[in-house]
Amino acid sequence: MFGKDVAEIVEGVTKLTRVSYPGKEKGKDQNKQPNKEKEQMENLRKLLIAMAKDIRVILIKIADRLHNMRTMEYQSGEKQLEKAHETIEMYAPIAHRLGMQKIKWELEDLSIEYLDASACNDIREGLKLRRAQDESFLSKVQDMIRARLRELSIESEVSGRIKHMYSIYRKMFNQIKNRELSEVLDLYAFRVIVNDIADCYNVLGCIHDIFHPMPGNFKDYISTPKPNMYQSLHTSVIGGDGVPFEVQIRTHEMHHTAEYGIAAHWKYKQEEGGKVADEEKFAWVRRLLESQQDSDAQDFIQALKVDMFADEVYVFTPSGDVRNLPAGATPIDFAYSIHSEVGNRMTGAIVNGRMVPYTHVLHSGDVVRILTSNSAKGPSRDWLDIIKSPEARNKIRQWFKKERREENIIHGKMAFESELRLANLSMADLSRDDVLAKLLERLAFGTFDELCAAMGYGGISAQRVVNRIRDDLRQATKAKKKEDQQKPGRDDARQARPQHGVMVEGLDNCLVRFAHCCEPVPGDLVTGFITRGLGVSVHRQDCGNYIKSGAQPGDPGRWVNVSWADTEGKAYPTGITLTASDRAGLVVDVASILNKLNIKISSFTAKDAGAGGVAVSVTIDVKNRDELVAAMARLMSVQGVTDIRRAG
């Protein structure tokens, strides 16, 4: 009835009802993916393909969604949340990508009203209370700008506004911490619209003359337009009241484009062969479609999201399955996204056919293959500092909780003692006045070892534990000092003189040596073992030999408390082992980094580890644990290095 053009537009917007895909007939999905999600993928794919033929398809779809959001109060609560989330995640970004800022803002504002109604009410109430103040400020600044531009005979339209709801919401609730409305400084935005580009730059000079510009906050989108055709001058300044605000300066044509984007420029001029003019206005859509011609709907939607959302990456398994990971994710995140056992048995990763270190940052479109081994030792604690996804973090913590209880106890005690030192507190006061018993009861742990194990695998932070008992410990410390001062003729416990930078409790002038099994350095938590005829052997508290013994420093037997004294910058030898893919130049690269760090190499050996890998053992001299950790971090950046571990 209405002709081919209208028929194609309607076809482009219409929901897919007859698309065949696996499992639809019986409500099953052979690929274990919800039917609804697949249908959404196909709908959006069809929409974008139709858009490449006729831009009016996407304009109608966005207008339809805007109308839906404007009348959403008549829908159920579940439908409101579903549509609002879909709008803010998909349709608002598409509107932004097309430069349709006015519609994008309204879509965002309407969506957040349903996603967080309470916060929006708080913002509205806050703005209502300060309305008179805001209107006075807006009027004052506008009058100042208009007066100066009249003096210079520059024709202009000056307007001011409070930033829209979603913009304020993000500044208050989407930052590192929640803020009050009074803490949001850049609430105001002003716009100056002039006749030509020359006047834009003249107005910019006037604005910087009237108000104080904020360094680093000027952007020239006129000489360098955004990909969505947006053009304007942006500058942030501080008014006479010390209030910062933004000023946007543009021509009438630029303003029309900024408000309506591609819709403002779409001229439906038919050329030879029925082609459409102004195709360059949406060339990004065409490029995306061309690059995805042979892909299925799932690949296509991932490519679309890659183009629009920068805070996520979409990477592929060798079989073509897509994994959604946070920006900055590493192969470790990818491994745990597949299965916890894949992560736990991981020994290396190949990205796009090339072996990469564990610290390698994945990018959208990467094809990742994880190397595993049944003899793998399991995850390293260092991985917790590398990974980005909460899923991987939880799975690694669960592994340590289950597999490494003794090691968790040691690491938990180390973290706990470190937090105590930062708070100027001591472990010695834990048993005084039942402080430890109160703590265990408060946190619902049966024994101190259980608490340390939880701190070791990350179930509870050492900082939180210390915060819970800080006041109790300080009171106990004060009581102990007062009691000690009242004791006549106090005998201080004998303390050994420091040898090799180590203090041995209760022994004078004893021989001290460092255990070769774990090679401790200053900064490590250490313990001592009284040997037969060779003095005290100093071990790290996470040394395998110490953990296997089941003993504790201070227990009756041969284990004694030792601690670091002033080491005066002396260097101590310690060993590290690197696991890497075998390649030419690996040894040179490792030695080069250590040389740049001014770290002495005492020994260096490399041997074949099988499966194209190599194990490199290096003994280096370092002044303390911090220097060692820094060196290990730098070595992880060497091409092909997949793991680094200390001796012991």
Side-chain angles (χ1 to χ4, degrees):
M1 290 173 62
F2 294 93
K4 182 180 178 183
D5 287 348
V6 174
E8 288 183 349
I9 293 172
V10 172
E11 171 66 11
V13 178
T14 301
K15 291 280 187 180
L16 299 184
T17 55
R18 295 181 297 277
V19 175
S20 176
Y21 50 84
K24 182 176 179 182
E25 294 77 9
K26 297 182 180 180
K28 297 178 181 178
D29 192 333
Q30 297 172 2
N31 295 325
K32 298 182 181 179
Q33 186 177 16
N35 292 349
K36 188 172 184 180
E37 186 177 343
K38 274 202 167 184
E39 193 162 0
Q40 272 187 330
M41 289 182 179
E42 290 289 356
N43 283 339
L44 192 60
R45 178 186 178 92
K46 186 177 182 184
L47 176 69
L48 269 291
I49 291 172
M51 176 181 166
K53 298 176 183 175
D54 191 330
I55 194 66
R56 292 177 295 184
V57 169
I58 193 66
L59 302 185
I60 292 170
K61 190 63 182 175
I62 290 175
D64 177 49
R65 176 49 60 106
L66 180 59
H67 177 263
N68 289 344
M69 293 306 299
R70 285 173 175 173
T71 57
M72 195 54 65
E73 70 266 24
Y74 303 109
Q75 298 289 344
S76 66
E78 183 181 352
K79 181 68 72 175
Q80 288 172 347
L81 290 175
E82 178 189 334
K83 291 295 183 184
H85 189 267
E86 186 179 74
T87 298
I88 212 162
E89 289 290 326
M90 188 62 73
Y91 286 95
I94 289 177
H96 172 71
R97 193 68 175 82
L98 294 176
M100 305 165 72
Q101 298 303 317
K102 188 173 182 180
I103 290 178
K104 174 226 178 194
W105 289 339
E106 188 173 354
L107 288 172
E108 289 175 337
D109 287 353
L110 291 169
S111 299
I112 204 64
E113 289 282 357
Y114 295 105
L115 294 174
D116 198 340
S118 175
C120 291
N121 286 332
D122 290 344
I123 294 172
R124 260 193 303 273
E125 290 300 318
L127 292 175
K128 191 183 297 182
L129 291 174
R130 52 183 290 166
R131 179 175 296 164
Q133 170 191 337
D134 291 339
E135 288 178 353
S136 173
F137 179 80
L138 291 171
S139 177
K140 177 182 174 182
V141 172
Q142 288 175 89
D143 290 344
M144 292 175 69
I145 296 174
R146 287 188 186 115
R148 179 62 65 89
L149 297 183
R150 273 197 302 269
E151 290 176 12
L152 298 173
S153 301
I154 297 177
E155 292 184 19
S156 64
E157 295 177 12
V158 182
S159 60
R161 61 176 175 83
I162 302 288
K163 292 192 174 180
H164 64 106
M165 176 70 74
Y166 185 63
S167 177
I168 298 173
Y169 177 87
R170 288 183 61 192
K171 292 177 185 296
M172 289 179 63
F173 301 106
N174 271 16
Q175 304 295 330
I176 297 174
K177 60 180 182 179
N178 292 348
R179 297 194 290 180
E180 297 295 329
L181 183 62
S182 58
E183 298 178 80
V184 180
L185 299 179
D186 51 343
L187 273 176
Y188 309 102
F190 294 86
R191 184 174 296 137
V192 182
I193 303 175
V194 293
N195 293 328
D196 54 46
I197 292 177
D199 282 344
C200 289
Y201 291 97
N202 290 333
V203 171
L204 176 68
C206 291
I207 297 297
H208 285 180
D209 187 37
I210 303 171
F211 308 105
H212 183 71
M214 297 172 65
N217 283 272
F218 167 65
K219 296 180 179 66
D220 186 349
Y221 295 120
I222 292 179
S223 60
T224 309
K226 289 185 178 183
N228 60 14
M229 305 178 299
Y230 178 86
Q231 286 184 289
S232 189
L233 297 178
H234 287 198
T235 184
S236 294
V237 297
I238 299 177
D241 301 327
V243 178
F245 56 88
E246 183 183 56
V247 181
Q248 300 172 358
I249 308 163
R250 59 181 71 141
T251 66
H252 290 280
E253 184 181 359
M254 292 173 190
H255 177 63
H256 197 49
T257 299
E259 293 287 283
Y260 300 104
I262 203 166
H265 283 273
W266 185 254
K267 302 166 188 171
Y268 216 75
K269 296 178 182 175
Q270 294 292 339
E271 296 178 348
E272 268 187 53
K275 291 186 178 179
V276 180
D278 287 349
E279 284 190 4
E280 70 277 2
K281 302 296 185 184
F282 56 103
W284 69 276
V285 182
R286 190 174 61 254
R287 286 195 299 270
L288 176 61
L289 292 166
E290 287 171 354
S291 67
Q292 297 290 321
Q293 280 179 352
D294 299 324
S295 65
D296 61 17
Q298 188 172 347
D299 294 347
F300 175 82
I301 200 69
Q302 300 307 334
L304 176 66
K305 286 185 176 180
V306 166
D307 187 70
M308 291 188 174
F309 309 116
D311 56 348
E312 294 178 325
V313 292
Y314 297 84
V315 294
F316 297 91
T317 66
S319 61
D321 294 330
V322 179
R323 296 286 164 174
N324 178 4
L325 299 171
T330 66
I332 302 173
D333 295 285
F334 179 85
Y336 279 101
S337 75
I338 297 172
H339 196 279
S340 55
E341 281 304 305
V342 175
N344 294 339
R345 294 188 289 112
M346 178 179 180
T347 57
I350 297 174
V351 177
N352 301 328
R354 183 174 66 87
M355 182 75 82
V356 298
Y358 288 173
T359 53
H360 177 81
V361 176
L362 298 176
H363 298 92
S364 293
D366 284 347
V367 179
V368 185
R369 183 161 69 92
I370 301 299
L371 305 178
T372 60
S373 170
N374 289 329
S375 61
K377 296 180 180 179
S380 163
R381 291 184 186 276
D382 297 334
W383 291 7
L384 292 169
D385 298 325
I386 299 171
I387 57 177
K388 296 295 182 182
S389 66
E391 178 187 11
R393 190 174 306 279
N394 289 335
K395 288 180 178 178
I396 292 173
R397 285 174 175 171
Q398 287 301 316
W399 186 88
F400 277 107
K401 179 181 180 180
K402 181 180 177 182
E403 303 289 340
R404 297 288 179 89
R405 186 175 187 277
E406 294 302 323
E407 186 178 329
N408 289 336
I409 292 172
I410 296 297
H411 279 278
K413 285 181 178 177
M414 291 169 61
F416 185 54
E417 290 179 359
S418 175
E419 286 295 333
L420 285 174
R421 284 195 297 271
L422 289 174
N424 294 317
L425 297 170
S426 167
M427 280 281 288
D429 293 320
L430 265 182
S431 58
R432 190 172 181 83
D433 296 335
D434 296 323
V435 173
L436 179 58
K438 292 176 185 175
L439 172 66
L440 295 175
E441 182 180 357
R442 201 175 296 168
L443 297 176
F445 286 95
T447 65
F448 184 55
D449 277 357
E450 288 179 13
L451 175 60
C452 289
M455 290 187 286
Y457 72 76
I460 187 173
S461 73
Q463 183 181 25
R464 180 188 165 199
V465 174
V466 171
N467 287 341
R468 296 294 294 271
I469 59 168
R470 181 184 284 110
D471 292 338
D472 292 342
L473 279 176
R474 284 177 177 166
Q475 289 174 7
T477 303
K478 288 179 183 177
K480 183 177 185 300
K481 286 181 179 178
K482 186 176 180 180
E483 183 181 313
D484 289 345
Q485 289 171 356
Q486 293 172 349
K487 287 182 180 179
R490 295 182 293 127
D491 286 331
D492 292 331
R494 288 188 304 156
Q495 188 85 1
R497 297 170 190 167
Q499 291 198 15
H500 304 290
V502 173
M503 302 280 289
V504 182
E505 182 182 70
L507 296 174
D508 286 330
N509 294 327
C510 65
L511 179 66
V512 173
R513 67 185 183 88
F514 295 100
H516 293 298
C517 55
C518 58
E519 297 177 317
V521 298
D524 289 327
L525 285 180
V526 289
T527 186
F529 182 76
I530 302 174
T531 63
R532 291 183 173 87
L534 295 175
V536 173
S537 176
V538 179
H539 294 255
R540 298 202 320 261
Q541 288 190 13
D542 60 350
C543 172
N545 289 330
Y546 170 57
I547 294 172
K548 287 176 187 175
S549 75
Q552 298 292 329
D555 285 351
R558 297 166 66 183
W559 290 100
V560 294
N561 288 318
V562 300
S563 59
W564 294 100
D566 184 7
T567 58
E568 299 178 348
K570 180 183 176 183
Y572 293 76
T574 191
I576 55 176
T577 301
L578 293 78
T579 304
S581 55
D582 197 3
R583 65 172 178 83
L586 174 67
V587 171
V588 174
D589 289 346
V590 171
S592 175
I593 282 184
L594 294 173
N595 183 54
K596 288 178 181 176
L597 295 173
N598 200 27
I599 291 177
K600 179 185 173 185
I601 301 174
S602 300
S603 68
F604 198 118
T605 59
K607 62 180 181 180
D608 181 35
V614 63
V616 179
S617 298
V618 189
T619 301
I620 56 178
D621 293 351
V622 294
K623 296 182 178 64
N624 50 50
R625 189 175 186 275
D626 289 343
E627 188 175 42
L628 174 62
V629 170
M632 291 171 70
R634 287 289 300 276
L635 290 171
M636 276 300 295
S637 66
V638 173
Q639 179 186 346
V641 173
T642 57
D643 192 26
I644 297 181
R645 296 176 187 260
R646 291 184 65 180

